[in-house]
C-alpha cells in the first residue's frame, strides 16, 4: 500500500488527457491529486472517472486553474461558489477534499494524518520594498502577469489576500486541533518561498503562495509536504522534512517519451535507495 502523488494534469490539453488514460491501475494505493487537474467541473469528472477505479482512494486539493470562473452546466461559477461546486463534484465521486475530515493513512511507518489544504496566495512573496498595492504592477514591469488576475474572482471575499487570510485562519485551527500524528501536508501552492525555482519568470512568485506558511512543516509535524503549481518537479529537504513538487504540467513541461506513469511520485513509504523514480530534475523544464 503506497501513497502516491501527481498534480497539474491540465487535461484541457489533448496530449495530457490522452496520457491520463495510460496510467496503470494500482488498486491498493492512494493517489494525491495536487490541483490544476483542469479548469472546469467536467475536467474533474473526467479525471475521477479515469483514475477512481484504478486507485483505492483519491485525495484532491484545488489549484488556481480549477478556481477560474467557468460556466458549469449552464451556470457561471466563480470565487468561493466555484470552489464549493468542485467539492460537490469530488463528493459525487468519493474523492477526499480539504473540506472533509483528515483521514489517517495506516501504511508503513505508523499512522499518518493526511491533510489536504486549500490556502491560496496573498502576494506576500515579493521584495520588502514593494507594497501589496504595488505588487502586480511590479511583476508586470517584467512582463509577468498571471492569468489569475483576469480569471480568478475572490467573491464573496473582498480580495484574494482576504480569501487567503480566511483559509489560513480556518486551516490553522483545524490542524491545531487534529490528532497528534505525523502529517502529510498537501497544498497546490508551495508552503515556502525558497522552494520556488522559476529563473525565467522570478516575479511570478507573487502568485505562488504565502509567507505565512513558512514554518507550517514544523508547526504541524509534517513528514512530507506535497505541492504542485510550479511545473518544476523536484525533491527538497528542509529541517529534516521532505518537500515534493509533483507537477506534470503543460505538454511542453514534461517528458512524454518517459510516459506519465514514471511521473507519479511515491510519498509513502519513503522510496528505498535505488528505487526507480523520476530523478529530481529530469523533465523539469523552466516555464
Amino acid at each position: 500500500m503506497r501513497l502516491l502523488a501527481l498534480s497539474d494534469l491540465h487535461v484541457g490539453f489533448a496530449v495530457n488527457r490522452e496520457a491520463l488514460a495510460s496510467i496503470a491501475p494500482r488498486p491498493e494505493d492512494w493517489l494525491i491529486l495536487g490541483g490544476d487537474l483542469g479548469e472546469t467541473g467536467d475536467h474533474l469528472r473526467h479525471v475521477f472517472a479515469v483514475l477512481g477505479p484504478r486507485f483505492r482512494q483519491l485525495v484532491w486539493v484545488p489549484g488556481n486553474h480549477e478556481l477560474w470562473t467557468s460556466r458549469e452546466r449552464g451556470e457561471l461559477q466563480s470565487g468561493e461558489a466555484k470552489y464549493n461546486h468542485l467539492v460537490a463534484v469530488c463528493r459525487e465521486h468519493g474523492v477526499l477534499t480539504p473540506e472533509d475530515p483528515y483521514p489517517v493513512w495506516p501504511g508503513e511507518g505508523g499512522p499518518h494524518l493526511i491533510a489536504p489544504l486549500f490556502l491560496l496566495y496573498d502576494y506576500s512573496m515579493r521584495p520588502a520594498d514593494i507594497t501589496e498595492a504595488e505588487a502586480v504592477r511590479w511583476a508586470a514591469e517584467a512582463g509577468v502577469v498571471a492569468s489569475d488576475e483576469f480569471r480568478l474572482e475572490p467573491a464573496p471575499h473582498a480580495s484574494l489576500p482576504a480569501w487567503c487570510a480566511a483559509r489560513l485562519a480556518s486551516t490553522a485551527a483545524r490542524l491545531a486541533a487534529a490528532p497528534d500524528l505525523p502529517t502529510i501536508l498537501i497544498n497546490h501552492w508551495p508552503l515556502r518561498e525558497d522552494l520556488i525555482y522559476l529563473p525565467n519568470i522570478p516575479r511570478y512568485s507573487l502568485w505562488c503562495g504565502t509567507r505565512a506558511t513558512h514554518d507550517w512543516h514544523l508547526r504541524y509535524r509534517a513528514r512530507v509536504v506535497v505541492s504542485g503549481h510550479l511545473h518544476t518537479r523536484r525533491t527538497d529537504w528542509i529541517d529534516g522534512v521532505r518537500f515534493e513538487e509533483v507537477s506534470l504540467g503543460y505538454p511542453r513541461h514534461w517528458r512524454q517519451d518517459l510516459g506519465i506513469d514514471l511521473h507519479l511520485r511515491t510519498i509513502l513509504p519513503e522510496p528505498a535507495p535505488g528505487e526507480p523514480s523520476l530523478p529530481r530534475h529530469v523533465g523539469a523544464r523552466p516555464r
Side-chain angles (χ1 to χ4, degrees), residues 20 96 105-106 123 202 217 219 279 287:
L20 182 72
L96 296 175
W105 188 81
Y123 307 119
H217 64 295
R219 189 186 305 180
R287 297 172 66 99

Side-chain angles (χ1 to χ4, degrees), residues 141-217:
E141 288 170 355
V144 179
V145 179
S147 297
D148 292 3
E149 293 301 309
F150 313 101
R151 302 187 67 177
L152 204 169
E153 298 292 334
H157 303 275
S159 64
L160 285 170
W163 193 3
C164 176
R167 294 298 310 186
L168 286 167
S170 62
T171 304
R174 283 189 67 191
L175 288 170
D180 188 15
L181 293 171
T183 62
I184 309 299
L185 300 181
I186 308 158
N187 188 53
H188 178 69
W189 296 270
L191 296 190
R192 294 172 57 97
E193 189 170 11
D194 52 8
L195 296 171
I196 300 170
Y197 178 71
L198 297 171
N200 292 341
I201 48 170
R203 297 191 186 190
Y204 188 76
S205 62
L206 286 187
W207 296 275
C208 291
T210 169
R211 288 178 173 168
T213 57
H214 186 79
D215 67 345
W216 277 33
H217 64 295

